[in-house]
Amino acid sequence: MDWGTELWDQFEVLERHTQWGLDLLDRYVKFVKERTEVEQAYAKQLRSLVKKYLPKRPAKDEPESKFSQQQSFVQLLQEVNDFAGQRELVAENLTVRVCLELAKYSQEMKQERKMHFQEGRRAQQQLENGFKQLENSKRKFERDCREAEKAAQTAERLDQDINATKADVEKAKQQAHLRSHMAEESKNEYAAQLQRFNRDQAHFYFSQMPQIFDKLQDMDERRAARLGAGYGLLSEAELQVVPIIAKCLEGMKVAADAVDAKNDSQVLVEQHKSGFARPGDVEFEDFSQPMNRAPSDSSLGTPSDGRPELRGSGRSRAMRWPFSKKNKTVVTEDFSHLPPEQQRKRLQQQLEERNRELQKEVDQRDALKKMKDVYEKTPQMGDPASLEPRITETLNNIERLKLEVQKYEAWLAEAENRVLSNRGDSLGRHARPPDPPASAPPDSSSSSSQDNKESSEETPLEEGQDTPIYTEFDEEFEEPTSPIGQCVAIYQFEGSSEGTISMMEGEGLLVMEEDKGDGWTRVRQKEGGEGYVPTSYLRITLN
């Protein structure tokens, strides 16, 4: 069923219906827009909430960050933050795919509807104009017929009047003939106009308006189908984020399951275990004995000022760590202000950091010396003297770090001996021994390990001094099938000699050929340049 056939006379009804359809489309667009604002506000509030409860300091600075409860809570907050991101994605998809696209489509529909109804109104206006012309020709024909009849009656009356002159009679007959001719012309014009109007009216009702109504029907059906698709975008936008939201919820579940009460108790022990021995029994102090006896080896002594010396007063004033009031401590470099166990852990951390820094300086020293050797053998690549300040600075840093490592190793040995002695005292006073130490205390092996470190640090330098350096390369390279790895430039290099290329610090390169013992590696830049650079200038990762 089509509108052009069934609703041929319902022009105003179709006008109202199509306008209602466009209004509904605009209402839906407005609804989705407000829905996106709700989603955005919800996501913003979730992000603010997460930011409020996330730790302000980095995790490594928070002692509580080692507890599974805190880690799970942080993970839960991160999952909530990711969930907020998905709500923002829903709002973005709805804004782009519904609000913007449907709003644009609504404007196009309004223009198309306006065009169709303007065409219909023009057709109606043309038909009305044709009807007016028909009415005018009809009235003219009617008027001319009355005038012709009246003129004929006048001519007949004058013809029968004996007093009328012949001239008056002839004039009246001519007037009657003229009026009769005009009436005939009006009749022909009226007939032609009627035929034309009937043809236009048939075209209007059976062809022109049905076509316009069919176009309106097609437009309205397309609008309804597009609106239905827009309704589906609401659920589609939600379904797109359902897998990720499910992962967020699964992450929350994993975070909840990750809470380990026993492990948190162990972490608390490791963080705050002092290493002190438990206090011994408090001795009985007998104040009932006379205080004025002569001093002897087995009695109380009397000081020179005459006041008696109380027995056991020194022991009663001895500090017992768990119950004493802690005064404000002064932080020392060897962490002696901390309990023995905590001191040992902090010293271990400092020792590991110094060893990492030392290794870094040793690597830099080796690289600088290799660079110096290259400059000495190929002066066009650079001035060897320009590297002396950096080499001197690196050597000074190495010596300083070695001294700090020795210092921290000595402190660590003392701290571990202190922990062991406290454990021995505790074993002597209590029937139930504490848990065994996690690792054996260091002995003379610490000094030997230091010697090994120093000897191992000197090895690369000796090997590097005997390594030959090539300064000339062939311009043509054998093309490999593919790169054998990747590398990153640690230092800047100016490739001025033949066969070398320049590179910037931090630049990523492709490894085309490994170092064959000459200290040079063949690389390719992303732009296509290829050549040799010092191997010591690179951090290489082979496939």
Side-chain angles (χ1 to χ4, degrees), residues 140-190:
K140 184 173 182 297
F141 173 55
E142 182 182 5
R143 183 174 60 253
D144 289 344
C145 287
R146 287 198 298 268
E147 292 293 335
E149 183 179 358
K150 183 178 178 182
Q153 292 176 357
T154 302
E156 183 179 358
R157 187 178 65 252
L158 289 176
D159 186 41
Q160 295 176 359
D161 189 0
I162 58 174
N163 296 323
T165 63
K166 185 177 180 179
D168 292 337
V169 173
E170 287 296 329
K171 183 178 180 180
K173 287 182 178 181
Q174 291 178 358
Q175 185 69 20
H177 179 72
L178 178 63
R179 291 295 180 181
S180 176
H181 180 70
M182 291 176 62
E184 189 65 25
E185 289 182 351
S186 298
K187 178 181 179 181
N188 293 334
E189 182 181 357
Y190 171 61

Side-chain angles (χ1 to χ4, degrees), residues 160-230:
Q160 295 176 359
D161 189 0
I162 58 174
N163 296 323
T165 63
K166 185 177 180 179
D168 292 337
V169 173
E170 287 296 329
K171 183 178 180 180
K173 287 182 178 181
Q174 291 178 358
Q175 185 69 20
H177 179 72
L178 178 63
R179 291 295 180 181
S180 176
H181 180 70
M182 291 176 62
E184 189 65 25
E185 289 182 351
S186 298
K187 178 181 179 181
N188 293 334
E189 182 181 357
Y190 171 61
Q193 190 67 33
L194 180 62
Q195 185 179 5
R196 188 183 307 113
F197 174 77
N198 288 333
R199 184 180 65 250
D200 293 342
Q201 181 175 251
H203 175 70
F204 176 81
Y205 285 113
F206 290 96
S207 178
Q208 193 173 15
M209 290 306 295
Q211 290 179 0
I212 294 175
F213 287 173
D214 289 343
K215 291 177 182 179
L216 288 173
Q217 180 181 2
D218 179 69
M219 180 203 74
D220 192 71
E221 289 176 354
R222 284 187 284 113
R223 176 203 57 77
R226 187 65 178 271
L227 182 59

Side-chain angles (χ1 to χ4, degrees), residues 236-250:
E236 184 178 341
E238 292 286 348
L239 290 174
Q240 285 180 350
V241 300
V242 162
I244 301 179
I245 290 179
K247 290 182 180 179
C248 294
L249 298 177
E250 183 64 25

